[in-house]
Amino acid sequence: NAGVTQTPKFRVLKTGQSMTLLCAQDMNHEYMYWYRQDPGMGLRLIHYSVGEGTTAKGEVPDGYNVSRLKKQNFLLGLESAAPSQTSVYFCASSYPDRRFFGPGTRLTVL
Amino acid sequence: GQQVMQIPQYQHVQEGEDFTTYCNSSTTLSNIQWYKQRPGGHPVFLIQLVKSGEVKKQKRLTFQFGEAKKNSSLHITATQTTDVGTYFCAGSAGNMLTFGGGTRLMVKP
């Protein structure tokens, strides 16, 4: 099992550009999450999903959108990137409470 | 909203010394989880505590959940260089899991 995978691993964007981060899990977990990690601020929840076709807002949802069209995939979109979105993004899935994290995507917005 | 505070933010220790990180929640928790993140890596689940006053051990690591289920601690005995990383607590209340800011442990050989 690959567990949770994320693509891409690194990305540099210019302000105003858009991009999509892809998360995939092969553990058949219902719940999936997107977090961002900034120095000294731990992990903050952006959006999450409790099952295929569902999404919900977390602590810091502004500027992001998500979709869960298939159970195994959870996409995070940035429509118009801003420098404040420079961060490391982690996807996770859970069963039942324990989080399984992906390797992360390091995003820089110039 | 729920807040989870973790102290200290950083800790330097000499190899062989003990280390403790503390976690405090603004609300009563249903359970608390601990994760370790190696430098450049992703958080990895260590343990979950559910019962009031619960103590669990994993080799040199001892985890405690407070009687009031609002605080927790992780103690490492005789640190090794392999213990380097950031340790996060995460408190669960209702459907939300809130992460603390983490304690970064650095070990001098």
Side-chain angles (χ1 to χ4, degrees), chain B residues 93-106:
Chain B
N95 294 327
M96 297 304 297
L97 185 71
T98 302
F99 282 81
T103 296
R104 184 178 172 191
L105 173 64
M106 289 155 279

Side-chain angles (χ1 to χ4, degrees), chain A residues 69-83:
Chain A
L69 298 180
K70 292 183 178 181
K71 186 177 183 178
Q72 63 269 34
N73 296 336
F74 195 27
L75 279 63
L76 178 71
L78 286 73
E79 291 185 346
S80 180

Side-chain angles (χ1 to χ4, degrees), chain B residues 66-99:
Chain B
E67 295 289 342
K69 300 184 76 173
K70 295 182 74 173
N71 58 71
S72 181
S73 64
L74 158 60
H75 179 82
I76 302 178
T77 303
T79 55
Q80 300 176 358
T81 55
T82 53
D83 295 324
V84 164
T86 301
Y87 293 84
F88 292 98
C89 64
S92 181
N95 294 327
M96 297 304 297
L97 185 71
T98 302
F99 282 81

Side-chain angles (χ1 to χ4, degrees), chain A residues 31 35 37 39-45 48 57-59 90 97-104 106, chain B residues 9-10 31 33 35 37 40-45 48 86 88 92 95-102:
Chain A
Y31 286 55
Y35 292 90
Q37 183 174 38
M41 301 195 71
L43 292 148
R44 293 184 292 169
L45 183 63
Y48 64 101
K57 294 180 179 179
E59 302 171 64
F90 287 102
D97 296 329
R98 168 185 171 180
R99 302 289 191 265
F100 294 80
F101 284 88
R106 186 172 294 275
Chain B
Q9 194 171 355
Y10 304 95
N31 65 72
Q33 300 175 23
Y35 292 79
Q37 184 178 22
H42 59 276
V44 175
F45 176 84
Q48 177 173 285
T86 301
F88 292 98
S92 181
N95 294 327
M96 297 304 297
L97 185 71
T98 302
F99 282 81

Side-chain angles (χ1 to χ4, degrees), chain A residues 13 17 36 38 61-64 77-89 107-109:
Chain A
L13 289 178
Q17 287 185 318
R36 60 177 289 172
D38 303 295
D62 294 343
Y64 305 95
L78 286 73
E79 291 185 346
S80 180
S84 60
Q85 294 177 305
T86 293
S87 188
V88 180
Y89 292 85
L107 176 66
T108 301
V109 183

Side-chain angles (χ1 to χ4, degrees), chain B residues 3-104:
Chain B
Q3 291 188 338
V4 176
M5 306 299 293
Q6 207 174 335
I7 56 170
Q9 194 171 355
Y10 304 95
Q11 183 88 55
H12 287 86
V13 299
Q14 196 72 39
E15 189 173 20
E17 291 181 340
D18 291 356
F19 159 78
T20 305
T21 174
Y22 300 91
C23 184
N24 290 285
S25 169
S26 59
T27 59
T28 302
L29 303 170
S30 55
N31 65 72
I32 195 154
Q33 300 175 23
W34 285 91
Y35 292 79
K36 177 182 178 181
Q37 184 178 22
R38 295 183 186 276
H42 59 276
V44 175
F45 176 84
L46 293 176
I47 206 161
Q48 177 173 285
L49 305 172
V50 179
K51 298 177 184 176
S52 170
E54 189 170 14
V55 178
K56 286 189 176 180
K57 293 190 176 185
Q58 289 181 349
K59 297 183 180 179
R60 295 177 294 104
L61 279 61
T62 302
F63 304 84
Q64 289 190 300
F65 200 9
E67 295 289 342
K69 300 184 76 173
K70 295 182 74 173
N71 58 71
S72 181
S73 64
L74 158 60
H75 179 82
I76 302 178
T77 303
T79 55
Q80 300 176 358
T81 55
T82 53
D83 295 324
V84 164
T86 301
Y87 293 84
F88 292 98
C89 64
S92 181
N95 294 327
M96 297 304 297
L97 185 71
T98 302
F99 282 81
T103 296
R104 184 178 172 191

